[in-house]
Amino acid sequence: MQADPSSAISAIETSIREAERSCDRYYRESHDEDDLDSSKYYVERAFVELLVLTDRLQLMATYRMITEAFEKAQSDGFGKTESYDGEVYLHWAGRVRLFTDAIASAHGLAKTAASELLDLKAMLRRAVYVICDTSLYGVTPRNEADVHARLEGIIKCYYPDLKSKPLLTKPIKNFQPDSAIPSAKTLLEYKFITSRAEAKRVCDEILADASGYRSSEWRNLLFVIYEAYRVLPEEEWQELLSACQLHEGFDAIVLSGVAPVSAA
């Protein structure tokens, strides 16, 4: 009987996520060579895990294709990057994800949780320019409700099944999400901060929500943190979330906007 690839795919997702987080820290915050080395290490590890998986599943044609990509990555460097819409992406992490998603789909696992989050986060990063456009809204976001309403309007263009303040079929104790995307099995929570004091309050809210989040029905929980201006580096948010020790689909994105304009 053919082996179940679920746990191996989860391990690959974890390696890709760590590679992308290290890369993001390097280009956004630290410029520390250790972060750059870490991203390269995790890309290489993801490749090796993928090769082991395809060998185990006896996908020999796919194994040969991945081997060729692996050799090319060794030549180019595992840290090779590409820029798109102002964001930096790891080229070879993307290639590993392409193969991983294909294997997951072939085994009835649909798109991987990591890929769903990556796509959603990329879209949200682009959306920040729209929700801060004063020619559309008159003012930049002034509170969490503004961020919630404006982002949902954009997300719904990509995910028509998005639900606002959804009633979950399996209620999660002490937790009510702001948005839900059933097709992506993803829940979203929006946070709005204008100061470090508010950041501390939001930290407590995230920890409280995290402790209440336990559901097999939803693969991803994404916190969307909107800062009126840069309050905390994303690395600090990621460290906070890592301390929660939830599954791989638990993540956050920090959107830095423009300080709210007072109404005349």
Side-chain angles (χ1 to χ4, degrees):
M1 185 171 66
Q2 197 174 55
D4 179 3
S6 299
S7 59
I9 287 174
S10 178
I12 296 168
E13 288 182 356
T14 298
S15 294
I16 294 173
R17 178 176 290 103
E18 291 301 326
E20 291 171 337
R21 284 179 174 170
S22 296
C23 179
D24 195 54
R25 279 197 301 269
Y26 176 79
Y27 286 102
R28 286 179 177 275
E29 304 286 347
S30 71
H31 303 293
D32 186 334
E33 292 294 327
D34 287 344
D35 283 328
L36 203 56
D37 290 341
S38 178
S39 69
K40 296 174 185 177
Y41 164 76
Y42 282 110
V43 170
E44 183 174 10
R45 190 170 88 170
F47 257 118
V48 172
E49 289 168 333
L50 183 58
L51 285 166
V52 170
L53 173 61
T54 49
D55 179 62
R56 181 184 176 195
L57 295 175
Q58 298 182 352
L59 302 173
M60 303 323 300
T62 305
Y63 180 88
R64 287 191 293 272
M65 292 172 63
I66 297 168
T67 298
E68 291 176 5
F70 181 65
E71 291 172 351
K72 186 70 165 58
Q74 287 178 310
S75 174
D76 290 351
F78 293 106
K80 180 181 177 180
T81 60
E82 296 176 341
S83 295
Y84 176 73
D85 200 23
E87 298 294 326
V88 177
Y89 298 95
L90 285 164
H91 173 81
W92 292 111
R95 294 295 295 170
V96 171
R97 177 172 279 112
L98 184 151
F99 284 110
T100 305
D101 281 344
I103 294 171
S105 178
H107 286 78
L109 302 176
K111 202 170 187 180
T112 64
S115 291
E116 290 283 9
L117 279 178
L118 182 72
D119 291 346
L120 184 56
K121 288 170 69 176
M123 184 267 291
L124 289 170
R125 288 194 190 280
R126 295 192 294 270
V128 72
Y129 302 108
V130 178
I131 69 173
C132 292
D133 189 341
T134 55
S135 68
L136 292 174
Y137 297 102
V139 294
T140 54
R142 293 164 294 183
N143 50 46
E144 185 177 303
D146 282 349
V147 174
H148 183 171
R150 296 181 192 187
L151 283 179
E152 278 198 344
I154 297 170
I155 296 171
K156 201 168 183 67
C157 296
Y158 292 81
Y159 298 94
D161 62 331
L162 179 137
K163 300 181 185 300
S164 183
K165 295 292 183 182
L167 292 175
L168 304 181
T169 56
K170 295 179 181 178
I172 302 172
K173 184 178 180 181
N174 300 324
F175 181 79
Q176 175 62 50
D178 290 325
S179 301
I181 308 174
S183 60
K185 296 187 181 300
T186 297
L187 302 175
L188 296 98
E189 275 285 292
Y190 308 100
K191 304 295 181 182
F192 181 94
I193 64 173
T194 60
S195 67
R196 292 189 71 88
E198 289 182 352
K200 175 61 170 65
R201 172 182 57 79
V202 167
C203 286
D204 293 339
E205 291 176 0
I206 290 175
L207 289 171
D209 288 344
S211 65
Y213 176 67
R214 295 290 187 278
S215 174
S216 59
E217 183 182 2
W218 302 91
R219 295 194 302 178
N220 300 322
L221 171 59
L222 179 63
F223 285 99
V224 182
I225 303 164
Y226 177 92
E227 299 173 302
Y229 55 89
R230 177 58 72 183
V231 176
L232 291 177
E234 191 163 359
E235 180 181 5
E236 290 188 31
W237 290 114
Q238 296 293 356
E239 289 175 355
L240 168 69
L241 295 171
S242 296
C244 297
Q245 297 182 338
L246 293 184
H247 65 69
E248 291 85 355
F250 184 73
D251 209 343
I253 181 172
V254 180
L255 306 177
S256 290
V258 180
V261 177
S262 299

